[in-house]
Structures are given as C-alpha cells and as structure tokens.
Amino acid sequence: MSKSVSFLVAILSLYIFTYTAWAEDTIAKIAIKGNLAIEADAIKAVIKISEGKPLITEDVRDAIKAIFEMGYFTDVQAETSDTEGGKDLTFIVSERPQIREIEFSGNKEIEKDKLKELLTFKANTILDSNKIRESISKIKTEYENSGHYVADIQYKTETVGENQIKLVFEINENDKVLVKRIILLGNKDYSDDALKKIMQTKEGSWSSWISSKGTFKENMLRGDVEILSSHYLNNGYIQARVEEPQVFLTPDKRWIYITIRIEEGKKFWLGKIDFKGDILDSVDALYKNVKLKEGDVFSRDRLRQDIVSLTDMYGDKGYAFANIVPLTTLDHEKRIVNITFDISKGELVYFERILITGNVKTRDKVVRRELKVGEGELYHGTRLKKSRQKINNLGFFDEVNLSTERGSSPNKLNLIIDIKERPTGTLSVGAGYSSIDSFMMMGSVSQGNLFGRGQKLQLSAEFGEKRKTYNLGFTEPRLLDTEISAGFDIYNMEKQYTDFSKKSNGGDIRLGFPLWFEETRGYLTYRYEESEIFDISTSAGKYITDQAGRNTLSSITASIVRDTRDSYLAPMSGSNNSVSTELAGGFFGGTRSFVKHLGNSSWFYPVFWDTSVMLHGAIGYAEGTEGKTLPIDERFFVGGMNTVRGFDPRSLGPKDESGIVIGGNKELIFNVEYLFPLAKEAGLRGVIFYDAGNAFGDNEVYDIESLRTSAGYGIRWYSPIGPLRLEWGYNLNPKDGEKLSRWEFSIGTFF
C-alpha cells in the first residue's frame, strides 16, 4: 500500500472516529468568546445548533461557516470540553475592528460632506473591505465627473482603542485632465467642426484651467457616441456606425487625445409608407397619426414618435398591449426606405381594480375623483396620463406614480396609484420689502388639504407702511363630491395709493361648475364690500376728489376659464384662458354701478433643455352705468410687476388736469417670457422678459402704437410660502421724468 493511500485511510478513520465520538455526545452548553461589539445572541441566532441536541461535526462546520458569513469576523474556531451534562461547545471569534472615525485627507475639489455621502458604510460599523472598495470606486467616479480623471484614492487604518480604528482616505486629486484634441476619422458629409459642435466633450484651451471647458469626463464621452449616432440616424444615414472612442493619456497625465472612427454610409430618404395587420378604422386615420411623409429625410427619432403616436391611438381605444412594428426595406439604388407599420392590436383591455397606496392623510375619494378612468372601463392611455396630471395638480403630493399589473384575466388590468404625500399645512411669519408696498410683515396659517378632504382654508394678515390686509378664505373643490366647487372670502383692507387711501371690508361667495368643453369651468362670484376713499392728495384733480366718502359695492361676476396647463405652479406646456364680466349696482343694489369686462390668455411652450416660453395677453374694458362715474379703484392702472415691468406701479395711463394718473377704462397688455432652470431641485428659475402695455381713457381707443415697452430679467423661487419674484425691468423708450429701470420684488402668483 502506497504512503498516500495509507495517509488517506488514516484521515478517513480519524474522521469516522471523530464523527462517531461526537455523535454519541450531547451539547450541554453553547458559548461565544472573543466578541466585543457583536452580541452573543446575534451570533447564536445564525447557527442551527441548540443545547440538548447531539454534537455532530458537520453541524459545527456549518455553524462556523454561518458565523463567517456574517462578515464581522477574521477568524472563527470551535472547541469542546467535557462536563457532567455532556459537551460544552465554545465558538471563539476574532472580530474585525470597528470603525470609530472616518477622515479624508488631500481633498480640495470635493468637500468632506459630499465624500461622506458617497460611502457605502458609516462610522461605528465593522470594517468591511468590500464596502471600502465600493466606496473608493464611487469616490473615483465622482472625481472623474469633475475632471480629475487620474485621481488616486488609498486608505489606511490607525488604532484608536481596543479593536477600534480610525479609517483615513488618502486622496491625491492630481490635476484635471484636459482634452488636447478630438480626432474624427471617416466623416465626409459632415465636417469636424459641425460634429464637434454637437458633442458634449470639448477640446481644451488656455482658459480650461479656470473653467470646465475641455475637461475630460468618461461618462460624457460615452454619451457623445450616442449623440453622434443619433445625429446621423436622424439625418438619413441609417447605416452609419460610430465606433467606441480610443483614448490616449499622455505620459504626464495632463492631456488626452480622443480618436473616434465613423462610417457614414449613404443618405436615405423615405419612400412608401404603408400599414398592415389590425387596422381599426381606415388607413387614412392612421396616416393622420404619422408625421413621417414620403420624400422626407429618414429620421429615427420621428419614426419612434410615430410608433408612440400609433400605440397611443390604439391605447385610447382600449388596446393596451397593441404592438406596432416598423418593417423597413431598403432600395440602395434609389436610396429610399420603405416603411410598413405591422400592427397587432391584441385584446381589448379593461380596468379591473384601482388601488391607491401611500396616502396616509388624504382620503381615497380625493384621489379617485380626479381620475379620468374608472373600474370596469376600457383602457384609455390619454385619459390615464391626464389622470396623473390632475392628481399632481392637487398640490398634495411630492410624487404621483401610476403603474399597472395584470388582473384576474389576460384582458384585465389593475391600476396602482402610488403617491407620496407632502405637508399641506403651513404656518409662516416673515418680513420683507415690496417695491409697491415698501416694508411689510406678513403671517399666514393655511391648510391645503383640510382633514384629508382636499378642502382649502387660509387665514392671512399683512402689515406694511402702505397696506394692511386681513383675509379668511375657504374653498370646497368638490361640493358633495360633485364637479361643483364652492367657497367664500372675508377680508378687511386698508391701502395707501399715491393720491388717495382706501379702507374696505367685505367678502364674496364663489361657485364653480364644469362647462361643455373639457378643462373648461364657469364661475359665479357674488361680492359685497363697504369702502371709504379718504386722505386725498391736495394736488389731486376733480375726478379723484369727487370719489371721496363711503360707498357700498354689490356685484356679481360671471367668468369662464379653460386651463390646460401641465402644472399650475411651474407650467411648461398648455394654456390658461379666461373671460369675465362683473356687474355692480342696479338689481344688485349698492351705491356703485359699473360693468367691467376682462380677458386673459397665457400660453406655455417647452423649448429645449428644460426651458420654456410663455406668451400672455390681457385686455380690459369698464364703464360706469346708471349715469354714475366709474369708481377710481375700479379703473385700470398699468405699470409694475404684473403688467409692464420697469415702470413705476400705476404710472401708465390717462392723467387728470393736475398731471396725476387716474387710470383708464381700457387696458391692453402683452408679455413674453423665456424661463430657464437655475437650480431645478430647489425650484429656482431664471426669466428674461419683454412687456408691452398701456391704459386708455374714456375717449380713447385701443392703440397698439401707444403701448409702452420694457425688457429685463429676474429670478423666481417656488418657495414653501408661495412664488417669490425678483425682477429688473428696463424702460425701452423713456419719456421725460421717467426712470430708466427699476427692481421689483413680490410674493404671489405669476401670469
């Protein structure tokens, strides 16, 4: 018998002897030794051995393995000792050290707090080398994104107590790596400059050391491959191929050369466009949902848009799983692409159940009544998207996510609405300065989702050098769970204008109801107010002095509003249009009699890079009735934040014999705004604007040539207490005595 075979037999005999010996013993007690930070009970919880059971070798091995897999120990051993009751089994562990402190050294580009956020572990946890490697990888990626492509991150440990260490990350940021040159090979129809212009990665220059231009970022370069590919595919080059870039780092690790090879291929145009498969109505109806036209340059993006449009068309008819496959054939000689959309509509799909999750305060019915789809109804994609928009516009939620899951049968879907509530009650106290009201203090208590029923209650007060206002308002958006809204306001106000002051107290009752067009509502508002005009300037003319004294107002206002904005707070698309007429006096009583017509229209268009354009127009007309003069505080005063910026508030329009602006009975205003994000997560946006407007007297007509114009810029913050605006306007055609420009600040809604 060979020595090796003899050794194997000996080992097997020892194993059998040991197994047999242990199998005859009973575990009297299980103990843990060597643990400092990890409790013994936590270790015992992972092993499957218990006292009073037979002692079996394989069970002990499994227990050692399970303790190791906890990840807290560098060594685990087991030993036994004889007792009267059997065998005492003791597991002896050697713990990994505990991280008591975490420090960074050498970091200048990235702050310590940011680096800590990237760690996959925290202080007072057990040292885990895998998590350290993960953290170093994340830190290195962060440095690469900031241009430090060759940043070096190492770590060391320092003992600070019994089995406790301080973990120190040693960072050598090195200089930013700049792109010396981008070499494009194979491009013929597009020049190097044309392609480099659309790339995110740019070549460095002398200014790159103080700016980010030319900084090399690997993830940005990967994105450039897709940008170049999309450029070609959207301009007819359906066979274009952009290879992975080759990157060469110079020996001094300061410059990078990038080479990108491109195969352009030939340019193709669209040939015949056809449809086959499940055609519901007619081919003509399908063509209306396709933007691609015969003779156009082929575009992959437009093809994708057409597939989405056709899919939505079928989805709106209940075919939630319609499949649209574009089949293409190439005519290389004529360089045309023929496209046939192969349509498989699938089964009609119905909504089975609608489940709402995540709402703690808000009642289910508040969400359900905003839905444009219902249980048992056919699937409708457009209405589903609209439902999400309407729920989001409630303003009660930070997140609104709609998803579907299979129902009890293949043709049924469950709709899951997962929401994340935001605080809707606010208590705010503050002070500020308004260009209209000078110094002011304000306070408000509001609840936008009272008792989770969607009701709105607000109590507010403002105290300023020129204004004192108290207001209590309540709105029930769905009276008795119908489409009818109702509410009231009670207010008391004292305001000092340039040439007079006004005290008023009153209130209104509001009623809203849907009209025949979608997203269109009608409103009726009854207003009653007792007021006094006093403290009239000695330089004021007869028109103003005749207004002095006490008055009562009793009026009703009828209005129609159509609002299709995608968001009420920060709209990017859609429009908000309204017309209203207010009748005071006559049948309604009161000492004031007039009629006032208003029209407002705002349109929002997304442009690019999360920017948008807003176009706004307003027109107004008012006149006294029953032989009475139109009250001074019901006339139109133009100038200031909400009309034509850059002009003093209430400074534009007709003047009396003393040269004091008395407002007009007509107004015409136009505003154009370009809005762009400054800090999207914080709700901070920038704006560039152009305004034109004026007010016209009783004997004047609307005159475009008489409109005063301004332009300027500003910032807007969608703060917790409401929209804040700080804007500077420049008078484009100043007259004698007028300011060239002015800054304005306000709290309130936008156009």
PDB file of all heavy atoms in Angstrom, residues 539-550:
ATOM      1  N   SER A 539     -53.144 117.848  -4.380  1.00  0.00           N
ATOM      2  CA  SER A 539     -52.855 118.125  -5.792  1.00  0.00           C
ATOM      3  C   SER A 539     -53.741 117.312  -6.728  1.00  0.00           C
ATOM      4  O   SER A 539     -53.637 117.448  -7.947  1.00  0.00           O
ATOM      5  CB  SER A 539     -51.383 117.814  -6.089  1.00  0.00           C
ATOM      6  OG  SER A 539     -51.105 116.448  -5.833  1.00  0.00           O
ATOM      7  N   ALA A 540     -54.609 116.465  -6.148  1.00  0.00           N
ATOM      8  CA  ALA A 540     -55.463 115.627  -6.987  1.00  0.00           C
ATOM      9  C   ALA A 540     -56.516 116.467  -7.702  1.00  0.00           C
ATOM     10  O   ALA A 540     -56.973 117.499  -7.200  1.00  0.00           O
ATOM     11  CB  ALA A 540     -56.138 114.557  -6.138  1.00  0.00           C
ATOM     12  N   GLY A 541     -56.909 116.009  -8.875  1.00  0.00           N
ATOM     13  CA  GLY A 541     -57.909 116.720  -9.667  1.00  0.00           C
ATOM     14  C   GLY A 541     -59.322 116.385  -9.235  1.00  0.00           C
ATOM     15  O   GLY A 541     -59.559 115.610  -8.302  1.00  0.00           O
ATOM     16  N   LYS A 542     -60.272 116.940  -9.969  1.00  0.00           N
ATOM     17  CA  LYS A 542     -61.686 116.814  -9.627  1.00  0.00           C
ATOM     18  C   LYS A 542     -62.168 115.361  -9.674  1.00  0.00           C
ATOM     19  O   LYS A 542     -62.971 114.948  -8.839  1.00  0.00           O
ATOM     20  CB  LYS A 542     -62.518 117.665 -10.576  1.00  0.00           C
ATOM     21  CG  LYS A 542     -64.010 117.703 -10.243  1.00  0.00           C
ATOM     22  CD  LYS A 542     -64.724 118.662 -11.166  1.00  0.00           C
ATOM     23  CE  LYS A 542     -66.214 118.794 -10.771  1.00  0.00           C
ATOM     24  NZ  LYS A 542     -66.924 117.510 -10.825  1.00  0.00           N
ATOM     25  N   TYR A 543     -61.647 114.603 -10.626  1.00  0.00           N
ATOM     26  CA  TYR A 543     -62.130 113.228 -10.757  1.00  0.00           C
ATOM     27  C   TYR A 543     -61.891 112.435  -9.476  1.00  0.00           C
ATOM     28  O   TYR A 543     -62.759 111.682  -9.024  1.00  0.00           O
ATOM     29  CB  TYR A 543     -61.441 112.529 -11.936  1.00  0.00           C
ATOM     30  CG  TYR A 543     -61.977 111.146 -12.204  1.00  0.00           C
ATOM     31  CD1 TYR A 543     -63.093 110.961 -13.018  1.00  0.00           C
ATOM     32  CD2 TYR A 543     -61.407 110.019 -11.624  1.00  0.00           C
ATOM     33  CE1 TYR A 543     -63.604 109.694 -13.257  1.00  0.00           C
ATOM     34  CE2 TYR A 543     -61.907 108.741 -11.854  1.00  0.00           C
ATOM     35  CZ  TYR A 543     -63.007 108.593 -12.673  1.00  0.00           C
ATOM     36  OH  TYR A 543     -63.508 107.337 -12.895  1.00  0.00           O
ATOM     37  N   ILE A 544     -60.722 112.623  -8.877  1.00  0.00           N
ATOM     38  CA  ILE A 544     -60.395 111.881  -7.660  1.00  0.00           C
ATOM     39  C   ILE A 544     -61.122 112.452  -6.452  1.00  0.00           C
ATOM     40  O   ILE A 544     -61.661 111.713  -5.621  1.00  0.00           O
ATOM     41  CB  ILE A 544     -58.871 111.874  -7.431  1.00  0.00           C
ATOM     42  CG1 ILE A 544     -58.172 111.127  -8.579  1.00  0.00           C
ATOM     43  CG2 ILE A 544     -58.522 111.232  -6.093  1.00  0.00           C
ATOM     44  CD1 ILE A 544     -56.667 111.085  -8.464  1.00  0.00           C
ATOM     45  N   THR A 545     -61.151 113.778  -6.337  1.00  0.00           N
ATOM     46  CA  THR A 545     -61.809 114.391  -5.167  1.00  0.00           C
ATOM     47  C   THR A 545     -63.289 114.055  -5.124  1.00  0.00           C
ATOM     48  O   THR A 545     -63.877 113.946  -4.044  1.00  0.00           O
ATOM     49  CB  THR A 545     -61.607 115.911  -5.176  1.00  0.00           C
ATOM     50  OG1 THR A 545     -62.110 116.463  -6.411  1.00  0.00           O
ATOM     51  CG2 THR A 545     -60.140 116.273  -5.037  1.00  0.00           C
ATOM     52  N   ASP A 546     -63.917 113.885  -6.283  1.00  0.00           N
ATOM     53  CA  ASP A 546     -65.339 113.518  -6.317  1.00  0.00           C
ATOM     54  C   ASP A 546     -65.586 112.103  -5.787  1.00  0.00           C
ATOM     55  O   ASP A 546     -66.725 111.735  -5.511  1.00  0.00           O
ATOM     56  CB  ASP A 546     -65.882 113.614  -7.748  1.00  0.00           C
ATOM     57  CG  ASP A 546     -66.058 115.054  -8.198  1.00  0.00           C
ATOM     58  OD1 ASP A 546     -65.991 115.953  -7.338  1.00  0.00           O
ATOM     59  OD2 ASP A 546     -66.244 115.276  -9.413  1.00  0.00           O
ATOM     60  N   GLN A 547     -64.525 111.293  -5.660  1.00  0.00           N
ATOM     61  CA  GLN A 547     -64.668 109.910  -5.201  1.00  0.00           C
ATOM     62  C   GLN A 547     -64.686 109.807  -3.681  1.00  0.00           C
ATOM     63  O   GLN A 547     -64.962 108.735  -3.133  1.00  0.00           O
ATOM     64  CB  GLN A 547     -63.499 109.066  -5.731  1.00  0.00           C
ATOM     65  CG  GLN A 547     -63.311 109.090  -7.232  1.00  0.00           C
ATOM     66  CD  GLN A 547     -64.312 108.216  -7.954  1.00  0.00           C
ATOM     67  OE1 GLN A 547     -64.692 107.178  -7.453  1.00  0.00           O
ATOM     68  NE2 GLN A 547     -64.759 108.655  -9.124  1.00  0.00           N
ATOM     69  N   ALA A 548     -64.359 110.894  -2.989  1.00  0.00           N
ATOM     70  CA  ALA A 548     -64.228 110.856  -1.530  1.00  0.00           C
ATOM     71  C   ALA A 548     -65.535 110.424  -0.869  1.00  0.00           C
ATOM     72  O   ALA A 548     -66.634 110.735  -1.342  1.00  0.00           O
ATOM     73  CB  ALA A 548     -63.796 112.220  -1.009  1.00  0.00           C
ATOM     74  N   GLY A 549     -65.408 109.706   0.260  1.00  0.00           N
ATOM     75  CA  GLY A 549     -66.587 109.313   1.021  1.00  0.00           C
ATOM     76  C   GLY A 549     -66.784 107.813   1.060  1.00  0.00           C
ATOM     77  O   GLY A 549     -65.956 107.026   0.615  1.00  0.00           O
ATOM     78  N   ARG A 550     -67.924 107.415   1.642  1.00  0.00           N
ATOM     79  CA  ARG A 550     -68.234 105.999   1.828  1.00  0.00           C
ATOM     80  C   ARG A 550     -69.073 105.475   0.668  1.00  0.00           C
ATOM     81  O   ARG A 550     -69.904 106.204   0.105  1.00  0.00           O
ATOM     82  CB  ARG A 550     -68.993 105.788   3.137  1.00  0.00           C
ATOM     83  CG  ARG A 550     -68.159 106.141   4.377  1.00  0.00           C
ATOM     84  CD  ARG A 550     -68.950 105.906   5.654  1.00  0.00           C
ATOM     85  NE  ARG A 550     -68.160 106.173   6.842  1.00  0.00           N
ATOM     86  CZ  ARG A 550     -67.343 105.314   7.411  1.00  0.00           C
ATOM     87  NH1 ARG A 550     -67.232 104.087   6.903  1.00  0.00           N
ATOM     88  NH2 ARG A 550     -66.648 105.641   8.491  1.00  0.00           N
TER      89      ARG A 550
END
